[in-house]
Each structure stands twice: as structure tokens, then as C-alpha cells.
Amino acid sequence: MAEPRNRYSIVSLIMHWTIAAAVLAQVLLVTAHEATEGPISREFISLHKSVGLTILVLTLARIGWRLANPAIALPGDMSRWEKALARAVHVLFYAALIVIPLTGWMASSAAGREILWFGLFDWPLLPISGGRDAARGFMTAHGLVVKGLYVLIALHVLGALKHQFVDRDNVLHRMIPLIPRRP
């Protein structure tokens, strides 16, 4: 299951695309929450919290996997600034995917709002007090980091497209095996 030389392992692929799909689900859940009222709106937020905590757990697992299975080397013909930007974007992705759910969890905890993980069990609240004022502060941080995540997603997608259509290398093939490998 270690990383092959020319593309990421099935474990890395599953974690990457599961987290990506979960992030998209988060956007849709918040949009649905804002477009509705009452019990259905609260259900969207409950699902949002569950998905967020799942992203936190998956991100920590992905970091553990990455530590045990170092990333494939970047193409040798990439400039130093491109390599530095690629590494910075990945590190910031991991940081955002930890900070965003943590600040949401902290906000729920400070406000004393329960988190029922997908209706299966009560997720424990953190020992944080401060009520609504503290929760608002955590939600402000939550929203700011989400905006930063959107910038990172744009950079990530633009970088992938650059590799595919400008550099014409096999970087995108590493994460999307359906794209044929170039000789």
C-alpha cells in the first residue's frame, strides 16, 4: 500500500477524494441551511457539524499516512518557487482542514450546543466556556479560515490544470489515474 513511484496509492486517492467530496458537501450544507428555516435548517447544520468532524478525523489520518508514506517527488523541471508554493499550499490545506472543524467544534462547545454525529452518538464537547460571545469569536475565525480554504482550492486546481495543459507532465495522472500517463 506504499506510494508507487509514478502515482499515489489507493489509500491516498481515497483519502484525497473523500475529503474533497466532504468539503463540497459542507458548502452545499451551509448553502441549504441559509436557504431554509426551522427544523430542516437545523438538520442541515447538524449534518454540517458531523461532516466537519469527519473531515477533521480524515485529515489527521491523512497526515499520519503522509508521514508514513512520503509524497512523490515533484517534477525535477519545476522551478524552486513553484515547488515552494506547492508545498506551502499542501501544508496550508492540512492546517485549514484541521482549524476549520476545530473552530466549529469550539463554537458549539462554548455555546453548549450538542453535536449528534450523524444521529449515532453525542460527540463530546470541548471544555470551553464563554457562551455566545466566545462562540461568535470562534465562528468568525471559522469563516475566515474557510475563505482561505477557497483560495487554496483555487490555487490547487489552477496548479493541477497548469501541470496538465501547460507543462504537459504526469502530475495530474498521479491523483486521477483515469487520465492517461504521458510518455
Side-chain angles (χ1 to χ4, degrees):
M1 290 198 315
E3 303 294 2
R5 296 179 62 118
N6 63 354
R7 69 177 189 85
Y8 287 100
S9 70
I10 192 71
V11 172
S12 290
L13 292 173
I14 289 170
M15 283 197 243
H16 176 274
W17 291 110
T18 300
I19 292 170
V23 168
L24 175 59
Q26 291 295 72
V27 173
L28 297 174
L29 287 166
V30 166
T31 302
H33 160 69
E34 291 172 351
T36 59
E37 295 178 7
I40 189 73
S41 180
R42 287 189 292 279
E43 187 60 32
F44 286 131
I45 282 301
S46 180
L47 284 170
H48 177 77
K49 291 177 183 183
S50 295
V51 172
L53 290 167
T54 302
I55 289 171
L56 175 63
V57 170
L58 288 173
T59 300
L60 294 173
R62 179 133 193 233
I63 291 169
W65 178 259
R66 180 58 52 230
L67 291 173
N69 299 274
I72 300 168
L74 295 169
D77 58 348
M78 280 178 68
S79 66
R80 286 176 55 165
W81 74 265
E82 287 176 306
K83 288 180 179 181
L85 180 60
R87 288 187 183 105
V89 166
H90 280 94
V91 168
L92 290 171
F93 256 126
Y94 289 132
L97 293 172
I98 291 170
V99 170
I100 293 167
L102 273 180
T103 53
W105 187 10
M106 293 164 81
S108 288
S109 297
R113 294 200 174 126
E114 70 174 22
I115 302 171
L116 187 59
W117 191 79
F118 292 110
L120 298 175
F121 61 88
D122 286 327
W123 190 275
L125 296 181
L126 297 168
I128 296 174
S129 60
R132 288 181 183 253
D133 289 338
R136 263 192 293 281
F138 292 128
M139 287 310 295
T140 298
H142 186 80
L144 288 172
V145 181
V146 166
K147 288 177 182 166
L149 181 65
Y150 292 155
V151 172
L152 294 173
I153 290 168
L155 287 171
H156 188 63
V157 169
L158 289 171
L161 294 173
K162 177 191 174 288
H163 280 286
Q164 183 67 16
F165 298 110
V166 176
D167 300 339
R168 300 185 60 78
D169 56 23
N170 287 303
V171 168
L172 199 55
H173 166 76
R174 295 173 176 186
M175 197 51 77
I176 306 175
L178 299 174
I179 293 176
R181 182 168 169 72
R182 291 193 167 117

